[in-house]
Amino acid sequence: ALPKVTLRAAGPLLAIGLFGCGGAAPLLHPAQVLDPGDVRAMGGLAARAVVGGLGDELRTATNEAVAAQASGNAPSIDTHYAAGALVAASMAPDLSPIVGARVGIGGDFEGGLIYTGRGARADLRRAFRLGGAASPWALTIGLGLDAAFVGRQTHTLPGVDGENVFGFGGDLPVLVGWRSQAGLYYAWIGARFGYEHDTIKVAGSENPSPLDQATLTGDRFSVGGLVGVAIGFRHLYVGLELEADYANVSGTFGGVSARVDGLSLTPATALWVDF
């Protein structure tokens, strides 16, 4: 049976849990799991940039909106505008804060919660020691559940209101990592598979335009890889991670169907405190 989590461990997790759960958050943890009852709290920054088709469609939709507004008109919803709206809502390219905590549960299990300012994620993972108990190598397989909520994205695109975005999904990360004998250094590499469903509800308006009435429904599938390192001493560490994903986003905006794919890059850094 798994040991009971101590109050010392539960407190930080409950505090982070008040933010909600889910969102496309970086992992920012090594392959090794914490000992039962041990807690790791962290805070830092993460960014997401979209390139390739994702970035092209978002840029095209933004240019269409700027040109339409310069002429005193509202932008029309065509295939390119719908694709840009799907990228803005589901990928949320931006810089965001990170606040999170992890706790060792026992039986080589670990759980965590992380909030990114535009969503949050809750996860559970299991570690497998490679080469015996004294080996510096470990493999972990996890399952994360995420949600996007109010304020998810800040990219300004008419008709795509971040205050009305809601989404849910999940991801499956697999990590292999090394830890130095004294526990001063960590390094990890892995793969991550994810899915998220996003919607935007119609906001009420006294004089509704086609954009005011446009609803959005989108699905994002992603697969990618990540690499990370952490350096520290005793209870304090600095972690760095870079994730690169190939994502396919499809759905409708204002009744117009669109599909777009491309790459996203998510660099992140955080300060860890173990106690």
Side-chain angles (χ1 to χ4, degrees), residues 23-25 27 48 90-91 121 142-146 168-174 191-198 219-226 243-249:
L27 297 182
R48 172 177 276 170
S90 66
M91 301 300 294
R121 174 179 183 269
L143 176 63
L145 299 176
D146 65 79
F168 61 88
D171 65 277
L172 176 67
V174 180
R192 194 177 185 187
F193 309 88
Y195 165 77
E196 186 173 284
H197 177 78
D198 294 291
D219 294 285
R220 172 170 57 86
F221 294 88
S222 62
V223 58
L226 59 95
E243 182 172 347
D245 294 312
Y246 170 81
N248 179 279
V249 183

Side-chain angles (χ1 to χ4, degrees), residues 7 30 80 107 121 124 128 164 173 175 188 211 234 243 251 267-268:
L7 290 176
H80 290 295
R121 174 179 183 269
L124 181 68
F128 301 90
N164 295 310
L175 296 180
W188 62 94
L211 283 178
R234 292 186 180 274
E243 182 172 347

Side-chain angles (χ1 to χ4, degrees), residues 12-13 15-17 19 26-28 39-44 97-103 111-116 120-121 270-273 275:
L13 287 178
I16 300 302
F19 288 110
L27 297 182
L28 273 175
V39 174
R40 173 173 295 143
M42 67 176 179
I98 301 171
V99 181
R102 307 196 62 80
V103 60
L113 290 167
I114 185 170
Y115 169 69
T116 68
R121 174 179 183 269
L271 182 69
W272 301 348
V273 180
F275 56 95

Side-chain angles (χ1 to χ4, degrees), residues 8-116:
R8 177 176 66 120
L13 287 178
L14 290 174
I16 300 302
L18 295 176
F19 288 110
C21 60
L27 297 182
L28 273 175
H29 59 61
Q32 289 77 12
V33 297
L34 295 167
D35 292 333
D38 285 356
V39 174
R40 173 173 295 143
M42 67 176 179
L45 292 172
R48 172 177 276 170
V50 291
V51 297
L54 298 172
D56 291 342
E57 293 292 4
L58 182 57
R59 185 164 47 250
T60 298
T62 302
N63 291 339
E64 288 184 6
V66 171
Q69 291 173 340
S71 63
N73 299 315
S76 59
I77 303 176
D78 57 13
T79 302
H80 290 295
Y81 199 90
L86 288 167
V87 174
S90 66
M91 301 300 294
D94 197 9
L95 182 69
S96 61
I98 301 171
V99 181
R102 307 196 62 80
V103 60
I105 301 173
D108 289 323
F109 280 90
E110 181 185 276
L113 290 167
I114 185 170
Y115 169 69
T116 68

Side-chain angles (χ1 to χ4, degrees), residues 159-217:
V160 183
D161 185 359
E163 295 300 313
N164 295 310
V165 173
F166 176 76
F168 61 88
D171 65 277
L172 176 67
V174 180
L175 296 180
V176 174
W178 169 86
R179 177 176 60 188
S180 67
Q181 185 175 6
L184 302 180
Y185 306 102
Y186 291 88
W188 62 94
I189 188 170
R192 194 177 185 187
F193 309 88
Y195 165 77
E196 186 173 284
H197 177 78
D198 294 291
T199 60
I200 291 181
K201 297 179 181 179
V202 178
S205 176
E206 294 182 359
N207 300 299
S209 68
L211 283 178
D212 292 328
Q213 301 178 65
T215 60
L216 180 145
T217 302

Side-chain angles (χ1 to χ4, degrees), residues 31-32 125-130 137-141 174-177:
Q32 289 77 12
R125 63 187 184 126
R126 169 73 155 85
F128 301 90
R129 303 182 187 187
L130 304 179
W137 293 92
L139 165 72
T140 55
I141 300 175
V174 180
L175 296 180
V176 174

